[in-house]
Amino acid sequence: MTKPTILTGLRANNDLHIGNYFGALLPIVNMARERAGDYTVNLFIPDLHSFTTPINHDELYGQSLHNARLFLAAGLPAAAEDIHMYRQSYVTAHSELTWILDCFTGFGEMSRMTQFKDKSSKLSEDRISVGLFNYPVLMAADILLYDAEYVPVGDDQSQHLEFTRDIAERMNSRFGELFTVPKSVKEQHQFFGKDQGLRIRNLIVPTQKMGKSDDEQRGVIYLSEDPAIAAKKIMGATTDSLAEINFDWERQPGVTNLLQILSLTSNMPQEEVNRQWIGKQQYGELKKAVATSVQSMLEDFQQRLQAIDEAAVLRKLEADEAKVALTAQATLLRAQKAVGLRR
């Protein structure tokens, strides 16, 4: 009996920061480790999605390989039989199915996508690509090609998952049972566990989450950053004038952010960290503890990343791409036959 499929991926055009690592990369790796065996886990590198907005194309190929190395350095078991890691563009069925789905997708549907509105509002009109507009259709193809029932989605992707369900049901209604309809957003949250709000904040502006595009780069710690420089950034983090350590996002976001970072980088439960620090008055001592923990975590991660053999990464990708392409091509052929492209 075929195992149900989980599909997930992480776009990594630029260097990831510790918020990406603890909020996305590590949860994906842990999910794959825990679910493999009972499920097929497809972890794809979304290189086609990577240039829906302007990028440096000279770096794209290398960034895709680096993306794979990041997952392995974070602990993804490369040899696991049920975990497949592949580059989206190396399985041509993604692009081919997207075109078929495009022709059954309404302009109005895409116009209502919140993420398109948000991202396009930050670009000049001549830099808003049709690819950005069309992004949800490619995402639907990513999911439907592998009969994936489970797709971990954040709030910003929920609308796209619902579109995937809509287009699958639309095609099935017209042409018969072509696609497996993925579970609803509610069911996804029940399966994976609803996001509990892990959002590492900017060190300088702790009311905002840490982001790669932050203007205030002193508040962002990248995975590739010199660990000593990262420690200095921690020492310069914004706190407050209350002179007492509490875990309170509303009144003390800077201090609370430091407590969260200490928990994550030391692999210590938040409750235990809080017991050690809540009620103390020396912010400087807390910063020193967090700085030491962050520096140690980065040194360890960078050593693991450096040890990843790129030739081995390529062998893993190419083997898995050949494997998943069989499933993708079978799904594509069903769709091609249904719409009259194949006998």
Side-chain angles (χ1 to χ4, degrees), residues 105-137:
T105 299
F107 178 84
E109 286 180 291
M110 293 298 97
S111 299
R112 291 190 290 273
M113 292 293 162
T114 303
Q115 196 173 78
F116 170 74
K117 294 177 183 178
D118 291 344
K119 289 190 174 182
S120 61
S121 68
K122 300 170 185 174
L123 299 169
S124 59
E125 188 171 329
D126 62 335
R127 303 200 81 187
I128 302 172
S129 71
V130 175
L132 179 62
F133 184 75
N134 194 43
Y135 175 102
V137 186

Side-chain angles (χ1 to χ4, degrees), residues 162-209:
E162 289 304 330
F163 165 73
T164 301
R165 287 168 49 80
D166 290 345
I167 191 67
E169 290 170 347
R170 185 179 311 155
M171 298 291 284
N172 288 352
S173 176
R174 179 161 180 178
F175 297 107
E177 295 303 308
L178 291 179
F179 302 119
T180 296
V181 180
K183 304 293 185 184
S184 67
V185 171
K186 180 180 179 180
E187 290 171 303
Q188 303 290 351
H189 289 162
Q190 290 171 344
F191 182 76
F192 292 107
K194 182 71 173 76
D195 176 18
Q196 296 301 303
L198 173 59
R199 293 288 187 275
I200 292 181
R201 306 290 182 87
N202 186 292
L203 298 172
I204 303 302
V205 190
T207 54
Q208 301 175 6
K209 72 176 184 178

